Amino acid sequence: MKHTVALLFLPLALAAACSREPAPAAPASAPTAARPTPLADLPAVDGARLLEQIRALSSDEFQGRKPGTEGEVRTVAYLEQQFKALGLQPGNTDGTYVQDVRLVGLTPAQKRPFTVTGGGKRATFAWRDEVVAWSKHVADTASIENSELLFVGYGVTAPEFDWNDFKDVDIKGKTIVVLVNDPQVPSATDPTTLDDNVFGGRAMTYYGRWTYKYEEAARRGAAGVLIVHETGPAGYPFSVVQGNLGERLDLVREDKGMSRASIEGWLSLDAARKLMAMAGQDLDALKKQALTRSFRPVPLGLSASMTIGTTARTMASKNVLAKLEGSDPALKDEYVIYTAHWDHFGVGEPVDGDRIYNGALDNASGTALVLELARAFTQVTPKPRRSVVFLLVTAEEQGLLGSAYYAEYPVYPLAKTVAVVNIDGINQWGRTRDLTVIGLGASQLDDYLREAATEQGRTLRPDPESEKGYYYRSDHFNFAKKGVPALYLDSGIEYVGKDASYGTQKRDEYTNRDYHSPSDEVKEDWDLTGAVEDARVLFAVGYRVANAATWPEWAPGNEFRAAREQMRRP
């Protein structure tokens, strides 16, 4: 999980990765269905049944729904049963409701602690409390040995912003220390504000994601890469990082992960200060330097050693999917996809004696809502002209792996996929006057959304926490970067009958207490009336897109538009 940003800036190679299958011509103006069925006449999601589904999926019976465990077996069987009971067709063209996703599970163990030496000093950093590390190498052990330490700012190479934290410094075989998030550069005219033209200003871009930093380190041949954790820029406390010290999953890769750095991981903020002090450096001063284009990597005069032992196992996890075939013979081979991830963290580190990471909000709630939207689609009249696919993906919590696999090996061509609606968490605190759109302004799907929300007397608002980079933290991103217009909502923040601070208070409460914790369970104070209203809007968007004369487009200038246009080349 969870959320996102409006206008992002990805490396050109990322945006170019897409299918070349031709697709229908798209409109130049915002698409609207002719006299769409009023929202009030569309099927509604039943709040009591939605809550019942969430309780079932987040119960201890499903053991936290971790891929590759008995919890997955039970979850997949349950989801297949639900789709069959609704009378939906198997979503896979092989006649099944599943798509196999080959994963490798890697469980790290410290064989030799992270030890830093230099200048006559030596320090060992505590496993879990100060350093959380692992290796993506499918091998018994992975090590760094007297590896030179470099501070490389934010670890970003972004030609479109004339930004290169590495300059001409060769980091091959070295271990780099990088800051979390991307540079939030002060405005040249007003240092108290941010330059919105560089890395989105306050909003995080993909360059700020930890996944990018590990990828860039691998591209440059680093032996190790450690990210300095800070709760605000990361969007979650260090306890979340600590809670992920168990088995980590990855897609099965031909190179067995050997192209990655040997050691990847995080340093706590206090550990990073301790490290910099050993080098005679001040972390806060280095952070200020890193906000300038002139920044150059700083040799720390230290070397690091560490050995990680890894226990590996391979598994065939499952994406689960079902289809409602379109009613129009000319359009039924075009697809609207609703997606959510079914997985969470399974059984892990105990917190207050509880070891089951039930993931009620994240994302039993989104999975349950897709099931209930599927139920509504079986009841709507007239049936949608285009086909509607309900895709529940695996291993989102491990790096969006299930959706990445589907986007790379789609059951239905992405060039024929009209739109994706992603659901990662629902509103569990009551009705709101607004809807938060992660990436507001990115595509014409917002026009459909605005039309439906207006029928409820509600408004759209941009992500209030765009600095946390939520656009890159859920499954719609893998479709967007391939060029498919994707919509992703979060809860509104103007709660009916509550004071203005209530929404922010509840978001912070969840982030600090329940996010990726065993305490993410159904609470007594949950009120799904807001989720039901949101569901009606999401249903209307998908239904109207499935019936529209034209396809929704990315907004002019959006970084994903080029990938969509690439699909249309003969």
Side-chain angles (χ1 to χ4, degrees), residues 283-328:
L283 181 61
D284 292 328
L286 290 173
K287 287 166 61 178
K288 289 182 180 178
Q289 294 176 32
L291 290 175
T292 65
R293 286 187 173 89
S294 60
F295 170 83
R296 291 185 60 83
V298 178
L300 298 178
L302 305 170
S303 62
S305 299
M306 186 180 200
T307 301
I308 297 289
T310 300
T311 302
R313 67 185 180 108
T314 57
M315 66 197 78
S317 191
K318 312 286 185 186
N319 289 335
V320 187
L321 63 164
K323 181 177 74 170
L324 180 73
E325 188 168 78
S327 61
D328 187 333

Side-chain angles (χ1 to χ4, degrees), residues 192-398:
T192 65
T193 63
L194 298 179
D195 187 342
D196 290 337
N197 296 316
V198 184
F199 296 103
R202 177 171 172 265
M204 185 193 289
T205 71
Y206 187 62
Y207 295 116
R209 289 288 290 140
W210 54 267
T211 48
Y212 167 81
K213 296 174 191 293
Y214 297 140
E215 290 163 2
E216 183 66 8
R219 282 189 286 269
R220 291 177 174 270
V225 53
L226 295 170
I227 301 173
V228 177
H229 180 273
E230 292 188 75
T231 297
Y236 42 80
F238 192 63
S239 60
V240 171
V241 175
Q242 293 171 312
N244 293 336
L245 251 180
E247 183 182 57
R248 309 179 73 86
L249 304 183
D250 197 5
L251 294 175
V252 171
R253 304 182 190 277
E254 289 186 11
D255 71 350
K256 295 187 176 182
M258 294 300 177
S259 60
R260 304 282 292 215
S262 294
I263 302 291
E264 300 175 353
W266 294 82
L267 288 172
S268 72
L269 184 58
D270 287 344
R273 293 192 188 281
K274 173 181 170 182
L275 178 67
M276 296 306 166
M278 282 186 68
Q281 298 284 348
D282 177 74
L283 181 61
D284 292 328
L286 290 173
K287 287 166 61 178
K288 289 182 180 178
Q289 294 176 32
L291 290 175
T292 65
R293 286 187 173 89
S294 60
F295 170 83
R296 291 185 60 83
V298 178
L300 298 178
L302 305 170
S303 62
S305 299
M306 186 180 200
T307 301
I308 297 289
T310 300
T311 302
R313 67 185 180 108
T314 57
M315 66 197 78
S317 191
K318 312 286 185 186
N319 289 335
V320 187
L321 63 164
K323 181 177 74 170
L324 180 73
E325 188 168 78
S327 61
D328 187 333
L331 297 179
K332 68 179 183 179
D333 290 334
E334 298 175 5
Y335 306 92
V336 174
I337 297 180
Y338 284 89
T339 189
H341 73 91
W342 58 255
D343 67 296
H344 205 239
F345 288 101
V347 180
E349 290 284 323
V351 178
D352 297 330
D354 189 355
R355 299 186 63 215
I356 299 180
Y357 289 64
N358 302 89
L361 182 64
D362 184 14
N363 188 32
S365 68
T367 301
L369 186 52
V370 169
L371 291 175
E372 292 307 307
L373 288 170
R375 185 189 306 276
F377 268 97
T378 65
Q379 299 169 348
V380 71
T381 302
K383 297 296 183 186
R385 298 171 67 199
R386 293 184 176 90
S387 294
V388 182
V389 176
F390 306 96
L391 174 64
L392 301 171
V393 298
T394 184
E396 187 268 359
E397 301 291 8
Q398 305 291 331

Side-chain angles (χ1 to χ4, degrees), residues 25 138 164 284 344 504 510 540 566:
V138 183
N164 181 359
D284 292 328
H344 205 239
T504 300
Y510 173 79
Q566 186 84 355

Side-chain angles (χ1 to χ4, degrees), residues 20-91:
R20 290 181 177 267
E21 183 170 344
S29 58
T32 55
R35 296 183 181 179
T37 304
L39 194 67
D41 295 338
L42 295 174
V45 166
D46 181 88
R49 190 164 51 219
L50 176 61
L51 182 59
E52 180 184 343
Q53 289 275 25
I54 298 170
R55 286 191 188 278
L57 285 162
S58 63
S59 68
D60 286 357
E61 176 186 353
F62 290 89
Q63 300 178 6
R65 306 187 309 279
K66 184 173 180 178
T69 68
E70 177 61 26
E72 166 168 10
V73 173
R74 297 179 184 183
T75 301
V76 170
Y78 179 86
L79 297 176
E80 288 185 272
Q81 178 188 30
Q82 296 299 307
F83 282 145
K84 289 176 183 176
L86 291 173
L88 293 168
Q89 295 180 18

